[in-house]
């Protein structure tokens, strides 16, 4: 991408990485092998985001609903995550990428939580980009947790019900302090939000591609970004 193409870039891209299972099935492979190939696509998209100078990238890596998958698949995904963190942390540190995670992280196995904590700690000084992994994440659960936090503050007398605003809720979401996504990419052709960032995507532009996540790489990502750059965002307002 040359300089002129760097105008009007999204500040925050969120991605629903879907289609690992189908990718594997199409090749007669096991679902887990699809996830392994998916981790390669994660690496490419993280690199491209950093190169473009986009400061926020959020990836839906494991949903609250994904706990319903077979024990074998859940274990394999958790192991894959640990391996990814161990392998990628140095490169993230070198490139000024700060890692964080959102979701009900207390539900993750201890090994995964430890690897996450370590990677978050090591990348803490990153100033160029924030990579957020949504893990054991559900948008409705996130809103319920924020409402519970508001209720606690009201009960303590720290917040008056008449003073509850959009900001009061946004500030109690897992994403407090982050900008809302400008662009949401979903792979594998499904036109669904799947409980991802429900509050935050109120005005987000959506890009759906039929490409399965393991086949999604730098070129497809640049295509999604270029598509976003052409759009006119009005946030409910009228055309100029
Ligand atoms: C959806 O594909 C994908 C997931 C549930 C997991 C996403 C995980 C990765 C991309 C790899 C590891 C992630 C990191 C951050 C290293 P699916 O299994 O639902 O596919 P299907 O709909 O075709 O069955």
């Amino acid at each position: 991408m040359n300089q002129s193409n760097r105008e009007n870039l999204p500040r925050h891209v969120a991605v629903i990485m879907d289609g690992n299972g189908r990718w594997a099935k199409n090749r007669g492979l096991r679902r887990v092998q699809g996830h392994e190939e998916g981790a390669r696509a994660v690496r490419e998209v993280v690199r491209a985001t950093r190169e473009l100078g986009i400061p926020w990238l959020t990836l839906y890596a494991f949903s609250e609903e994904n706990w319903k998958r077979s024990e074998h698949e859940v274990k394999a995904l958790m192991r894959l995550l640990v391996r990814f963190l161990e392998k990628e942390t140095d490169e993230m540190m070198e490139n000024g990428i700060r890692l964080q995670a959102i979701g009900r992280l207390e539900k993750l196995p201890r090994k995964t939580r430890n690897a996450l904590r370590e990677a978050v700690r090591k990348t803490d000084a990153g100033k160029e980009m924030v990579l957020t992994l949504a893990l054991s994440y559900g948008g409705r659960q996130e809103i319920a947790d924020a409402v519970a936090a508001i209720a606690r503050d009201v009960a303590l007398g720290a917040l008056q019900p008449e003073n509850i605003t959009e900001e009061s809720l946004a500030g109690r979401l897992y994403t407090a302090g982050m900008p809302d996504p400008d662009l949401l990419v979903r792979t594998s052709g499904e036109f669904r939000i799947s409980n991802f960032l429900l509050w935050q995507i109120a005005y987000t532009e959506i890009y759906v591609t039929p490409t399965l996540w393991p086949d999604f790489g730098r070129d497809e990502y640049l295509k999604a970004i270029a598509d976003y750059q052409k759009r006119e965002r009005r946030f409910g307002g009228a055309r100029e």
Side-chain angles (χ1 to χ4, degrees), residues 16-25 31-32 34-43 46 59-63 66 69 73 76-77 80-85 88 99 131 133-135 186-188 190 192 212-214:
I16 301 178
M17 311 182 287
D18 193 19
N20 295 348
R22 273 162 284 170
W23 183 92
K25 191 169 175 230
R31 295 180 57 81
V32 170
H35 296 314
E36 280 166 9
E37 216 32 49
R40 192 201 44 73
V42 168
R43 201 169 307 127
V46 171
L59 303 176
Y60 204 3
F62 193 86
S63 74
N66 286 155
R69 298 197 174 189
E73 186 171 346
L77 274 167
L80 188 57
L81 189 67
V82 171
R83 225 184 308 144
F84 175 85
L85 294 170
E88 301 300 318
L99 179 86
L131 169 62
L133 298 182
L135 292 166
R186 179 166 190 146
T187 58
S188 97
E190 248 39 276
R192 273 198 296 274
L212 304 175
W213 178 251

Side-chain angles (χ1 to χ4, degrees), residues 31-88:
R31 295 180 57 81
V32 170
Q33 290 172 286
H35 296 314
E36 280 166 9
E37 216 32 49
R40 192 201 44 73
V42 168
R43 201 169 307 127
E44 258 190 55
V45 167
V46 171
R47 281 188 187 155
T49 306
R50 175 66 188 85
E51 272 172 40
L52 289 169
I54 295 171
W56 300 87
L57 174 67
T58 301
L59 303 176
Y60 204 3
F62 193 86
S63 74
E64 186 65 22
E65 290 72 28
N66 286 155
W67 290 115
K68 289 187 271 194
R69 298 197 174 189
S70 73
E71 193 186 335
H72 172 74
E73 186 171 346
V74 169
K75 276 194 173 157
L77 274 167
M78 293 299 145
R79 265 201 307 273
L80 188 57
L81 189 67
V82 171
R83 225 184 308 144
F84 175 85
L85 294 170
E86 287 171 354
K87 253 175 52 192
E88 301 300 318

Side-chain angles (χ1 to χ4, degrees), residues 15-19 22 183-192 206-217 219-221 223-224 227 231:
V15 187
I16 301 178
M17 311 182 287
D18 193 19
R22 273 162 284 170
L183 172 65
L184 171 69
V185 175
R186 179 166 190 146
T187 58
S188 97
E190 248 39 276
F191 286 79
R192 273 198 296 274
I206 300 180
Y207 179 90
V208 178
T209 168
T211 304
L212 304 175
W213 178 251
D215 289 328
F216 189 87
D219 291 351
E220 276 258 10
Y221 187 53
K223 241 167 65 185
D227 188 89
R231 299 190 192 183

